[in-house]
């Protein structure tokens, strides 16, 4: 029982973090915000799914992907295709020249539903695709790159190019994907109106519960052997490889897992916001998601959630009131986080708590600042990180 | 392709390959600076496009100045403006290196993130100073017009000018890197930093000069850019991914590789763009590059030196 508790909540500290997050998301915010603002928070939380994926991938495994927006977008598109088909049944689209296909296809003179759209009539298929499509793409990218030991900057540049390719491809095929406008005018999910207030409350709580579930799952995974190997890999990849571990297999797994989580976030985004477009897929959203994670703290799962909430709240406040200042703020924030606070809010928070609770001085001097919920750095890493 | 006659196809090929040459010049101009900063120093400078825009805006300022204060100088201001663009971007690069990059040399992924932040700030600066609208400097008359070697072929002079500038700059960079003292020190520092320090090279100073030079070259690229298109706050960021692909595809530490890959990418892109619909041509080219990079991650001309 104690072991389960330790692994799932990462000990007493982790349980406290979970409690705080749960209180904020499930009690304080719903009680203090109106449904419009709460829906916005729900939207930001869907980015947090990408954020926790990036914590795994970038913070723990040391692989920075600048293409997470692609996976978010693919998950979103899978869900949007299902919703769009549900919204364009033959009766409500009878004024079109071809009833029963989505409106943008009709505008582009398509006469029949393209074959890859057909399976998205089925809800089970679409919900599976939300995870499987991004994960498969990530799997093949990972297979091609990690097996050849491509990493670091190259991986970042190539994933960024993939983000550009996919957003251009979606943008350029207006008849198949809705083009630049994306897939809009989504109304119902299995017959329930997704735009009603009641539905928005339900979707908000679903998002929160799923997010907390994902965090617990990852916590459990990271507290085991996987977490230790990831950290070791990040800090001394060769040594892990020489010890007989298949480094690329771990990286491929983590990359695919992060992609699947991003896909889930994208699908939740679509049901809450009611549309998806290529502007959520390309380079800029992908980098912005890295920013949320960096601000929250790339080592902390909880930090990623707070990062997504804070940066987006800041973004909407600032771009409403001082649109001129927003980019300065965002750019400055990013430079500050990278140069001054490499472990983000979670790192600052941890430094503060350590100072006050008077932990041992040795712990404070550990080379890698350990984020709030994290396992202690592996012996392997502290011992080898000094050798250049 | 059935609807074209043989001579029309020939003209199309000629003009598209000329368009390809223009794009080649632009890509190469942008990639030259990045090949130094990213290829040699390993700094992922995502603000590279903004240094280019800075050069373009400098030319715009010079043209405004020439028009207001010295209309007689309008025909030759452009040559001065190119030098001014180089200096402006190089100075900005010097400042950025001193204030930001030098703290991040050991963390390449962090330079990527920090320079992204920098690019946001620079874009907003351009927007605040010059406005969100795109601007075009008034070009001297000798840059306008076109050659007509045959009835159906039309070759614009500004394109030829950009190509000539590209050739000159590429030659200059080559001479600098392989024939000058600073170039020698730069390559030495890249190959073995501690050894270079031991033989008395001030590696920090070399870093600063290298970064500043790369930014200056970006500024010249921006100046060349004003002759073929207008400049907006985000015109630099539009090309940044392409530029990185050019450098990575060519093999990072190789000047010849950068030239070859810029050439290949530009030609492929302009031919694809003619026969496929606009964006899909680009998608096809980028996809090809990414697939080749997955098969050959070190690029076309891999550097065999041990790191």
């Amino acid at each position: 029982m104690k072991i389960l508790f330790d692994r799932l909540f990462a000990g007493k500290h982790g349980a406290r973090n979970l409690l705080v997050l749960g209180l904020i998301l499930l009690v304080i915010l719903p009680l203090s915000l109106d449904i419009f603002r709460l829906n916005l928070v729900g939207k930001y939380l869907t980015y947090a799914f990408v954020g926790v994926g990036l914590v795994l991938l970038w913070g723990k495994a040391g692989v920075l992907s600048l293409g997470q927006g692609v996976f978010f977008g693919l998950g979103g598109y899978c869900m949007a295709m299902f919703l769009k088909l549900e919204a364009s049944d033959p009766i409500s689209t009878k004024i079109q020249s071809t009833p029963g296909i989505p409106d943008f296809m009709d505008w582009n003179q398509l006469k029949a539903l393209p074959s890859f759209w057909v399976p998205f009539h089925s809800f089970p298929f679409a919900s599976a695709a939300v995870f499987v499509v991004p994960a498969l793409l990530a799997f093949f990218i990972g297979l091609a790159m990690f097996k050849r030991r491509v990493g670091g900057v190259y991986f970042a540049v190539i994933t960024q190019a993939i983000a550009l390719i996919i957003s251009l491809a979606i943008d350029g095929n207006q008849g198949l994907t809705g083009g630049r406008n994306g897939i809009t005018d989504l109304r119902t999910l299995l017959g329930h109106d997704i735009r009603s207030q009641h539905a928005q409350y339900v979707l908000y709580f679903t998002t929160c519960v799923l997010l907390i579930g994902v965090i617990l799952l990852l916590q459990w995974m990271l507290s085991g052997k996987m977490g230790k190997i990831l950290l070791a890999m990040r800090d001394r990849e060769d040594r892990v490889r020489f010890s007989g571990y298949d480094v690329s297999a771990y990286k491929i797994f983590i990359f695919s897992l992060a992609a699947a989580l991003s896909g889930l976030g994208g699908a939740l985004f679509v049901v809450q916001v009611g549309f998806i477009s290529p502007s959520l897929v390309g380079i800029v959203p992908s980098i912005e998601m890295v920013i949320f994670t960096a601000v929250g703290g790339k080592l902390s799962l909880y930090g990623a959630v707070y990062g997504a909430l804070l940066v987006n709240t800041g973004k909407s406040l600032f771009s409403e009131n001082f649109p001129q200042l927003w980019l300065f703020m965002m750019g400055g924030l990013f430079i500050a986080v990278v140069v001054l606070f490499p472990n983000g809010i979670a790192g600052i928070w941890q430094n503060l708590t350590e100072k006050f609770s008077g932990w041992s001085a040795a712990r404070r001097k550990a080379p890698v600042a350990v984020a709030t919920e994290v396992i202690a750095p592996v012996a392997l890493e502290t011992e080898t990180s000094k050798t250049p | 392709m059935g609807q074209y006659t043989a001579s029309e196809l020939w003209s199309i090929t000629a003009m598209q390959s000329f368009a390809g040459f223009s794009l080649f010049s632009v890509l190469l101009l942008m990639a030259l600076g990045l090949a130094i900063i990213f290829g040699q120093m390993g700094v992922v400078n995502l603000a590279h496009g903004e240094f280019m825009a800075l050069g373009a805006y400098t030319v715009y300022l010079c043209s405004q100045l020439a028009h207001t204060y010295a209309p007689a100088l309008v025909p030759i201001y452009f040559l001065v403006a190119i030098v001014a663009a180089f200096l402006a971007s190089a100075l900005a690069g010097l400042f950025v290196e001193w204030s930001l990059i030098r703290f991040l040399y050991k963390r390449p992924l962090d330079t990527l993130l920090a320079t992204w932040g920098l690019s946001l700030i620079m874009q907003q600066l351009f927007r605040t100073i010059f406005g969100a609208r795109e601007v075009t400097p008034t070009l001297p008359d000798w840059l306008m017009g076109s050659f007509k070697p045959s009835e159906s072929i039309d070759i614009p002079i500004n394109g030829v000018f950009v190509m000539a500038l590209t050739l000159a700059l590429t030659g200059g960079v080559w001479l600098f890197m392989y024939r000058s003292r600073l170039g020698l020190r730069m390559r030495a520092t890249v190959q073995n930093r501690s050894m270079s320090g031991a033989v008395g090279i001030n590696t920090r100073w070399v870093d600063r000069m290298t970064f500043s030079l790369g930014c200056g070259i970006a500024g010249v690229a921006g100046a060349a850019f004003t002759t073929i298109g207008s400049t907006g706050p985000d015109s630099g960021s539009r090309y940044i991914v392409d530029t990185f692909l050019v450098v990575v595809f060519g093999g990072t530490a190789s000047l010849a590789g950068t030239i070859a890959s810029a050439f290949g990418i530009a030609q492929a892109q302009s031919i694809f763009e003619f026969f496929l619909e606009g964006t899909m041509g680009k998608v096809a080219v980028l996809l090809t590059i990414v697939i080749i990079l997955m098969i050959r991650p070190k690029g076309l001309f891999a550097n065999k030196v041990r790191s």
Side-chain angles (χ1 to χ4, degrees):
Chain A
M1 198 57 212
K2 171 112 177 39
I3 293 172
L4 185 73
F5 176 81
D6 276 351
R7 290 201 59 186
L8 213 50
F9 302 117
K12 221 190 280 173
H13 287 280
R16 196 189 55 205
N17 289 334
L18 181 73
L19 200 66
V20 172
L21 183 72
L23 267 180
I24 293 177
L25 293 185
L26 297 172
V27 181
I28 299 177
L29 289 179
L31 287 179
S32 57
L33 296 176
D34 58 77
I35 183 64
F36 172 72
R37 295 273 164 193
L38 195 66
N39 183 239
L40 278 183
V41 174
K43 180 173 118 181
Y44 305 157
L45 286 178
T46 63
Y47 299 138
F49 284 90
V50 185
V52 291
L54 275 167
V55 168
L56 276 189
L57 193 62
W58 178 31
K60 309 287 183 191
V63 180
L64 176 58
S65 157
L66 293 183
Q68 294 306 95
V70 167
F71 306 124
F72 182 83
L74 284 179
Y77 267 96
C78 288
M79 182 47 79
M81 282 158 81
F82 170 76
L83 296 178
K84 189 69 195 172
L85 286 178
E86 192 177 309
S88 37
D89 56 283
I91 299 151
S92 45
T93 55
K94 61 178 181 295
I95 50 162
Q96 293 176 179
S97 52
T98 318
I101 62 171
D103 46 11
F104 61 83
M105 291 187 186
D106 197 55
W107 302 333
N108 285 284
Q109 277 94 38
L110 260 68
K111 292 285 167 237
L113 200 62
S115 55
F116 76 95
W117 272 73
V118 176
F120 285 91
H121 274 297
S122 136
F123 183 67
F125 179 86
S127 2
V130 161
F131 300 97
V132 174
V133 171
L136 265 185
L137 178 66
F139 175 77
F140 284 114
I141 296 173
L143 195 65
M145 305 200 58
F146 296 135
K147 283 280 178 204
R148 284 170 213 277
R149 303 189 188 173
V150 176
V153 170
Y154 283 83
F155 186 75
V157 170
I158 290 180
T159 45
Q160 191 176 39
I162 290 171
L164 181 65
I165 292 173
I166 304 240
S167 64
L168 281 178
I170 293 175
D171 199 314
N173 287 302
Q174 211 182 1
L176 302 178
T177 61
R180 184 156 300 174
N181 301 327
I183 301 180
T184 52
D185 206 16
L186 308 170
R187 296 181 199 126
T188 55
L189 174 66
L190 299 171
H192 303 285
D193 190 348
I194 53 172
R195 292 169 301 183
S196 71
Q197 276 204 12
H198 173 69
Q200 289 190 334
Y201 272 113
V202 172
L203 289 171
Y204 172 79
F205 283 109
T206 315
T207 308
C208 293
V209 170
L210 280 174
L211 184 61
I212 290 175
V214 163
I215 290 178
L216 288 182
L217 181 78
L218 295 182
Q219 200 113 260
W220 177 77
M221 194 186 86
L222 286 174
S223 59
K225 183 178 151 195
M226 174 66 96
K228 292 198 167 51
I229 290 180
L230 287 184
L231 276 186
M233 234 162 64
R234 181 192 70 195
D235 291 324
R236 205 74 184 171
E237 191 178 322
D238 290 340
R239 192 153 166 180
V240 179
R241 187 175 287 130
F242 298 154
S243 311
Y245 292 99
D246 186 353
V247 168
S248 59
Y250 280 96
K251 284 188 179 172
I252 294 171
F253 171 74
I254 286 297
F255 189 41
S256 311
L257 179 66
L261 292 178
S262 308
L264 173 62
L268 290 168
F269 175 91
V270 166
V271 288
Q272 289 193 78
V273 183
F275 80 98
I276 184 99
S277 79
S279 63
L280 291 156
V281 180
I283 295 174
V284 175
S286 299
I287 291 194
E288 280 185 349
M289 289 168 189
V290 174
I291 301 186
F292 311 152
T293 315
V295 169
K298 64 182 174 196
L299 291 173
S300 159
L301 294 171
Y302 293 102
V305 179
Y306 293 122
L309 284 179
L310 283 177
V311 176
N312 280 297
T313 312
K315 186 176 179 174
S316 56
L317 283 182
F318 265 92
S319 50
E320 275 165 28
N321 301 320
F322 319 97
Q324 288 262 317
L325 282 180
W326 164 241
L327 279 182
F328 286 131
M329 282 284 300
M330 184 103 158
L333 182 70
F334 214 29
I335 294 177
V337 165
V338 169
V339 179
L340 304 174
F341 317 106
N343 292 318
I345 299 171
I348 298 173
W349 175 249
Q350 202 215 355
N351 281 347
L352 284 179
T353 47
E354 276 183 21
K355 239 169 223 162
F356 285 112
S357 63
W359 275 16
S360 70
R363 188 99 192 220
R364 219 174 300 157
K365 280 181 198 141
V368 178
V370 188
T372 16
E373 100 288 16
V374 142
I375 335 106
V378 210
L380 188 94
E381 156 217 347
T382 36
E383 169 198 327
T384 51
S385 59
K386 282 170 208 115
T387 48
Chain B
M1 280 177 236
Q3 68 268 44
Y4 302 111
T5 66
S7 75
E8 272 174 343
L9 261 183
W10 165 239
S11 304
I12 289 170
T13 316
M15 299 217 337
Q16 283 307 118
S17 63
F18 181 79
F21 270 113
S22 301
L23 189 62
F24 162 60
S25 315
V26 171
L27 284 183
L28 183 55
L29 276 174
M30 292 201 53
L32 275 178
L34 204 65
I36 292 177
I37 291 176
F38 175 54
Q40 300 288 331
M41 305 173 75
V43 173
V44 187
N45 184 13
L46 283 183
H48 195 73
E50 276 62 42
F51 284 102
M52 207 189 80
L54 181 65
Y57 276 119
T58 311
V59 172
Y60 171 71
L61 271 185
C62 289
S63 105
Q64 296 298 87
L65 280 178
H67 267 268
T68 342
Y69 296 108
L73 291 181
V74 168
I76 54 159
Y77 90 86
F78 197 77
L79 302 176
V80 182
I82 293 178
V83 179
F86 177 84
L87 289 178
S89 294
L91 281 178
L94 205 63
F95 176 71
V96 167
E97 203 277 347
W98 171 77
S99 58
L100 179 65
I101 306 291
R102 65 179 167 138
F103 304 109
L104 301 172
Y105 279 123
K106 292 201 177 125
R107 295 144 61 187
L109 282 179
D110 286 354
T111 60
L112 188 157
L113 302 174
T115 50
W116 177 261
L118 177 69
S119 80
L120 291 184
I121 292 178
M122 287 175 77
Q123 280 178 31
Q124 187 56 43
L125 269 180
F126 295 146
R127 203 166 286 133
T128 312
I129 298 172
F130 297 99
R133 297 239 317 269
E134 302 213 328
V135 297
T136 328
T138 342
L139 294 177
D141 290 333
W142 52 267
L143 270 175
M144 308 302 211
S146 59
F147 300 120
K148 262 190 170 299
S150 90
E151 203 45 32
S152 49
I153 300 178
D154 208 27
I155 289 180
I157 293 179
N158 53 9
V160 179
F161 174 78
V162 170
M163 277 180 214
L165 192 63
T166 311
L167 273 181
L169 200 64
T170 314
V173 168
W174 184 84
L175 277 179
F176 167 78
M177 275 175 60
Y178 295 100
R179 289 290 179 272
S180 79
R181 271 197 102 72
L182 181 55
L184 181 70
R185 288 178 180 168
M186 197 180 94
R187 285 180 295 129
T189 308
V190 168
Q191 281 181 8
N192 194 330
R193 180 169 296 270
S194 36
M195 202 59 207
S196 308
V199 296
I201 296 174
N202 184 346
T203 54
R204 288 200 157 182
W205 184 78
V206 169
D207 286 336
R208 195 158 299 167
M209 286 302 122
T210 314
F211 190 83
S212 161
L213 178 81
C215 292
I217 294 173
V220 178
F225 218 59
T226 56
T227 63
I228 47 179
S230 48
T231 310
D234 59 349
S235 45
S237 60
R238 256 178 258 160
Y239 289 89
I240 189 72
V241 177
D242 303 39
T243 314
F244 265 100
L245 279 185
V246 168
V247 177
V248 173
F249 188 53
T252 44
S254 148
L255 194 59
T258 305
I259 298 171
S261 85
F263 184 78
I265 291 175
Q267 291 299 345
Q269 195 165 321
S270 58
I271 290 168
F272 270 116
E273 266 174 9
F274 185 80
F275 290 109
L276 292 170
E277 274 177 70
T279 54
M280 290 319 282
K282 192 160 183 187
V283 170
V285 175
L286 291 178
L287 201 60
T288 317
I289 300 171
V290 166
I291 288 171
I292 294 179
L293 276 179
M294 284 179 172
I295 299 167
R296 235 189 117 84
K298 293 278 176 197
L300 292 178
F301 292 69
N303 195 349
K304 297 266 160 46
V305 176
R306 277 187 219 176
S307 54

